[in-house]
Amino acid sequence: MLRKPFNDGWTVVPKQSLFAAALAPAAPSRVTLPHDALRDLPRTPASPNGAHSGYFPSAHVVYDKAFHAPQEWADKAVVVTFDGVYRDAVVYFNGDFVAQQPSGYSPFSVDLSSRVHAGSRNTLRVEARTHQDSRWYSGVGIYRDVWLAVADQIHIPVDGVTVTTPEVGADFAVVAVAVEVRNDARRQQTVRLRSRVTDASGATVSEKSVPVTTVPGEHAVARVPHYVGEPRLWDIDAPDLYRVESVLIDGSGDVLDADETVFGVRSIRIDPIHGLRVNGRSVKLRGGCIHHDNGPLGAAAIPGAERRKVELLKAAGFNAIRSAHNAASRALLDACDEIGMFVIDELTDVWTVGKSSFDTSLSFPEWWERDVEALVRNDRNHPSVLLYSIGNEILEVGRPGGAVWGRRIAEKVRNLDPTRPLMNSVNALVSIIDSKVTAQDHSVPVDFNSILSSDGSAGVGAAEIATVRTEEAHAQADVAGINYAEARYDLDAEIFPDRVIVGSETFPSRLDRLWELVQKHPQVIGDFVWTAWDHLGEAGTGRAVYADDPLQPVGMASPYPWLLSQAGTIDINGIRRPISYWRETVWGLRGEPYIAVHRPQGYGRELAVGRWAWDDVLSSWAWRVEEGAPVVVDVYTDADDVELLLDGVSLGVRPVGIETGAQARGFIARFETEYRRGTLVAVSRRDGEEAGRAELRSLMGDAVLVARAERKKIGATPDHLAYVHLTLQDGAGTVAVDESAEVTVTVTGPGELVALSGAKPDDDQPFAGPTHVTHEGRLLAVVRPTGRGRIRVAATSAHGKTSVQVTAD
């Protein structure tokens, strides 16, 4: 069935009791999907969800859509597919219950064929809710795409085509196409399936047709092998895609149904000798974990936002992402296919033992098979998906019951998709936490994250009890996903030499040591930092804390108004933080040095940098401090040493590598100096020869407000977005990081302002509305097109006025 977007014409309203609605009904708001109804609700320190959700409230919302069904739908199959509704979705059609879906991340379809009122008005209602059910910001509502498919009674079900490439070579590939054919008619019928494979240019590379006899009420599966000569192989550096068109034709030659499936020709091999090989090429995964939200858009998985995220991650050196800790959106996987990004797609954060009061552990025993089926059905044709992860830090791991569930889930995944390896993201500390609780004074509560972030945590994963308790979980998988236990890499090379490992979740500041281990061991196929992209909720996990800060964290949680994790190497606006450039240097992808200046206002203050945090630094020499104020300057480089110069005068030479103290790190040259206005230059040298240089300048004159659109031309549909950066800067482009301004934004033309964000981690300003204060001299405006034409984005502040034009076409 060919799907069409079904995202417009919806309204949303808070859920009311029957009596409350009768007395004072709430006014519905018109929205275009994907939409997050939680983002614009007021945050409060009294939120029962606390720092987990970023102090957002609980919510129960109702979406409605009315539409006219043409008379010709009377004898058709009519299916609506939801890519994701968070969560505990209940669907009503023309007033009657038709479906539910407890998981907020599983796609599901609703067959309306027997209920549709052909030739008249129909109504679709979806209820969604969130309440103490997530360890991070979840959003609420229909936050992923909705699709409508209409076809003959004999048709190809939604996602009913599977494409695999069992044989792949440089000169020849087998493309195996399996097509489900459903017969909802009253009689047996033989139809013909025409299967055609086309390349990126639209040229046909193989075409076949086969007869298919279908029995009423059953699915038939037609298998068509295609043989493609000199295939263009999908890889991250050359993400070449093919399409297979599947058409059902009746005996008179009329088309009954059609479907189109995008796929890639590529092979995956994993073994302890060669590690991971894609198309025969050895690959180390430069990975990052990401949550599902899109920062200032909340949880809304608008395709344009998902695509931009992948583009910026790839530009920062990442070649892989892990969808922590839930199934990725179809839009994100489409972007990874098209741009070239490997994916580990994760099923869930819990099985049968909950981590929050109302999470999916309550429904998992009944719904797990359907959730696995939804994951695989959504992923199986995406060449970007390398591995499935069946869970994250599952509390049952290390216990017999957990072993039973792990094997059950793993075999279900393998039966549905035998072409991909799978892993379980295991935290060894979780497997032995009960022994730690038993051994300690029970009057003192256990803070799992505090134990995990302590100096001794790295060795916990290598303890003998952890080896024993995690062995069966790793044995059930093809790849051992290891969270925060790199001490296992050397150990497992000795005691489990055939075990293939991926660092499925790691501390960001340890990459210099981690990447050395990844390169040392062929069976360690990569490293996934927590996190690649900053996210809402888990507020303050990556916060660097000054001892004199009045808002001190409790455990790992920062108090209101903290909103963001701040563990991301890229912030929620898509701006690379300094640690991102350090990571790029460690990976060996960056030749130029990068200057990171410790905030002068923090000099001499005690700073605690946790395992998920980075130094309080910015790449700036435009500080509002007195001349001569002491300041620490770091230079990230893979060279031997660095010379620092201010206006051509040398400030000294330092070797690369900080070898002492709690913050010992490689790839950094550190200078103690004084702040003076001018041009700061870092020159890196290798073997005595200049290897590269970087430069920072002080502000030259007053800062003014400047607008810059990332793209001057975007698509004219709501799937696309315009991102406009508003910056306080001087004429040379130097950003005034120590200045702030309240900025008011207006949009004219066929577009609407959907978000304003300064990416301030403890911001108490909402993302909605036309006015926001800059943070570190920056502000991001996000505009969604409403039609074709020229969109003008104008901004006004005390620093002046500015505007930029974007064309939606």
Side-chain angles (χ1 to χ4, degrees), residues 79-421:
V79 177
V80 173
T81 298
F82 297 88
D83 280 352
V85 180
Y86 199 91
R87 93 176 253 279
D88 283 317
V90 181
V91 183
Y92 302 89
F93 186 61
N94 292 330
D96 295 327
F97 168 86
V98 290
Q100 69 176 118
Q101 173 55 260
S103 170
Y105 303 107
S106 291
F108 64 101
S109 294
V110 183
D111 190 338
L112 306 177
S113 308
S114 63
R115 299 174 181 269
V116 70
H117 297 162
S120 64
R121 182 178 182 269
N122 293 261
T123 59
L124 193 60
R125 168 167 288 195
V126 180
E127 293 192 12
R129 64 215 79 201
T130 181
H131 175 63
Q132 296 184 50
D133 50 29
S134 180
R135 297 190 300 118
W136 52 87
Y137 177 87
S138 65
V140 71
I142 311 178
Y143 72 105
R144 293 180 177 174
D145 284 316
V146 180
W147 308 89
L148 172 69
V150 180
D152 193 84
Q153 291 180 339
I154 299 177
H155 60 273
I156 302 167
V158 172
D159 292 325
V161 178
T162 303
V163 184
T164 58
T165 54
E167 294 184 40
V168 176
D171 59 345
F172 176 81
V174 175
V175 176
V177 178
V179 181
E180 297 176 39
V181 181
R182 181 175 177 85
N183 186 347
D184 287 337
R186 295 184 177 181
R187 61 186 177 86
Q188 178 176 299
Q189 188 171 341
T190 299
V191 298
R192 181 161 288 275
L193 169 66
R194 186 179 70 211
S195 180
R196 184 167 73 104
V197 177
T198 60
D199 63 17
S201 69
T204 299
V205 298
S206 178
E207 186 168 9
K208 292 185 177 181
S209 70
V210 296
V212 186
T213 299
T214 60
V215 177
E218 292 187 8
H219 283 68
V221 178
R223 299 187 182 275
V224 184
H226 291 275
Y227 304 97
V228 178
E230 298 183 349
R232 297 183 64 87
L233 304 186
W234 187 95
D235 206 336
I236 55 169
D237 297 324
D240 291 296
L241 295 170
Y242 289 82
R243 296 176 187 269
V244 59
E245 298 173 357
S246 305
V247 182
L248 296 181
I249 304 169
D250 66 14
S252 62
D254 293 333
V255 173
L256 301 175
D257 193 17
D259 192 271
E260 186 175 85
T261 306
V262 177
F263 69 97
V265 177
R266 58 108 177 92
S267 66
I268 303 171
R269 299 288 185 271
I270 290 181
D271 64 67
I273 305 302
H274 304 95
L276 169 65
R277 286 179 291 171
V278 178
N279 302 326
R281 177 179 67 91
S282 292
V283 175
K284 293 290 190 179
L285 300 176
R286 304 187 301 271
C289 302
I290 60 171
H291 271 321
H292 72 285
D293 72 82
N294 275 308
L297 298 172
I302 299 172
E306 300 285 67
R307 183 179 183 88
R308 174 181 181 261
K309 182 188 297 182
V310 176
E311 289 174 338
L312 293 177
L313 286 167
K314 188 170 184 177
F318 290 96
N319 66 7
I321 56 177
R322 171 182 170 226
S323 66
H325 307 291
N326 46 261
S329 72
R330 187 188 303 266
L332 181 71
L333 296 182
D334 286 343
C336 291
D337 290 344
E338 295 164 9
I339 295 165
M341 179 71 72
F342 296 127
V343 178
I344 297 177
D345 206 3
E346 195 152 78
L347 174 66
T348 183
D349 187 48
V350 296
W351 291 348
T352 62
V353 180
K355 297 177 181 176
S356 354
S357 298
F358 301 101
D359 62 25
T360 51
S361 64
L362 300 175
S363 58
F364 187 84
E366 181 181 354
W367 280 82
W368 74 272
E369 289 189 272
R370 283 169 282 188
D371 288 341
V372 169
E373 290 165 359
L375 171 74
V376 174
R377 201 173 183 90
N378 188 56
D379 288 18
R380 60 191 177 188
N381 294 324
H382 289 279
S384 57
V385 178
L386 284 185
L387 293 91
Y388 297 112
S389 171
I390 62 174
N392 170 69
E393 298 184 349
I394 300 300
L395 299 184
E396 298 95 311
V397 165
R399 296 154 183 80
V404 171
W405 273 105
R407 195 172 303 280
R408 193 177 285 162
I409 298 165
E411 291 311 304
K412 177 71 174 181
V413 174
R414 290 189 177 104
N415 287 336
L416 293 171
D417 185 357
T419 70
R420 287 178 173 85

Side-chain angles (χ1 to χ4, degrees), residues 379-717:
D379 288 18
R380 60 191 177 188
N381 294 324
H382 289 279
S384 57
V385 178
L386 284 185
L387 293 91
Y388 297 112
S389 171
I390 62 174
N392 170 69
E393 298 184 349
I394 300 300
L395 299 184
E396 298 95 311
V397 165
R399 296 154 183 80
V404 171
W405 273 105
R407 195 172 303 280
R408 193 177 285 162
I409 298 165
E411 291 311 304
K412 177 71 174 181
V413 174
R414 290 189 177 104
N415 287 336
L416 293 171
D417 185 357
T419 70
R420 287 178 173 85
L422 60 85
M423 73 175 200
N424 189 351
S425 300
V426 173
N427 188 318
L429 180 58
V430 171
S431 72
I432 63 173
I433 192 68
D434 58 342
S435 65
K436 281 189 167 288
V437 173
T438 302
Q440 75 156 27
D441 178 357
H442 286 272
S443 66
V444 180
V446 174
D447 184 336
F448 172 78
N449 279 333
S450 293
I451 296 173
L452 182 60
S453 62
S454 66
D455 289 338
S457 66
V460 171
E464 183 177 0
I465 186 175
T467 300
V468 172
R469 288 198 175 187
T470 61
E471 183 178 8
E472 187 168 5
H474 289 317
Q476 293 166 350
D478 305 295
V479 176
I482 293 180
N483 288 11
Y484 305 112
E486 65 270 19
R488 291 220 64 92
Y489 299 178
D490 285 333
L491 179 65
D492 284 0
E494 296 181 9
I495 63 176
F496 300 111
D498 292 336
R499 177 180 285 179
V500 179
I501 293 170
V502 65
S504 42
E505 194 166 317
T506 63
F507 292 118
S509 60
R510 284 184 170 175
L511 182 67
D512 51 346
R513 286 158 283 181
L514 290 165
W515 198 244
E516 183 178 353
L517 290 170
V518 172
Q519 292 176 312
K520 172 184 176 181
H521 295 291
Q523 68 268 39
V524 180
I525 64 173
D527 173 271
F528 285 76
V529 66
W530 189 266
T531 59
W533 192 284
D534 205 14
H535 55 275
L536 307 179
E538 295 185 317
T541 302
R543 174 185 174 194
V545 183
Y546 285 100
D548 56 0
D549 190 328
L551 295 178
Q552 290 294 322
V554 178
M556 296 301 299
S558 290
Y560 184 88
W562 269 79
L563 169 65
L564 307 180
S565 164
Q566 211 181 13
T569 62
I570 300 176
D571 74 17
I572 63 166
N573 285 357
I575 302 297
R576 294 177 63 177
R577 298 176 64 203
I579 187 176
S580 170
Y581 296 91
W582 180 74
R583 296 186 67 82
E584 192 179 20
T585 302
V586 176
W587 283 327
L589 302 178
R590 183 179 180 85
E592 297 299 311
Y594 179 88
I595 306 173
V597 180
H598 292 247
R599 200 181 301 271
Q601 295 89 337
Y603 188 88
R605 298 165 64 192
E606 182 182 351
L607 179 67
V609 181
R611 292 296 175 86
W612 289 281
W614 191 246
D615 301 314
D616 187 17
V617 293
L618 286 174
S619 187
S620 177
W621 199 243
W623 303 101
R624 295 296 188 188
V625 295
E626 292 183 0
E627 295 272 325
V631 65
V632 175
V633 177
D634 286 349
V635 180
Y636 307 157
T637 179
D638 62 355
D640 300 329
D641 53 52
V642 175
E643 183 176 16
L644 197 64
L645 304 99
L646 181 62
D647 290 339
V649 177
S650 178
L651 301 180
V653 177
R654 298 290 184 273
V656 174
I658 303 172
E659 299 180 355
T660 59
Q663 296 300 314
R665 297 191 192 117
F667 301 90
I668 299 176
R670 177 161 292 176
F671 296 80
E672 289 265 359
T673 186
E674 296 177 349
Y675 177 76
R676 299 188 188 281
R677 291 174 52 82
T679 300
L680 188 70
V681 175
V683 180
S684 62
R685 294 189 177 91
R686 187 179 294 109
D687 297 327
E689 300 292 329
E690 181 173 330
R693 61 175 56 209
E695 179 181 291
L696 295 176
R697 293 173 180 266
S698 300
L699 284 170
M700 304 296 290
D702 294 334
V704 296
L705 186 65
V706 175
R708 177 184 63 85
E710 289 185 354
R711 285 185 170 89
K712 290 295 185 71
K713 187 174 182 179
I714 61 172
T717 67

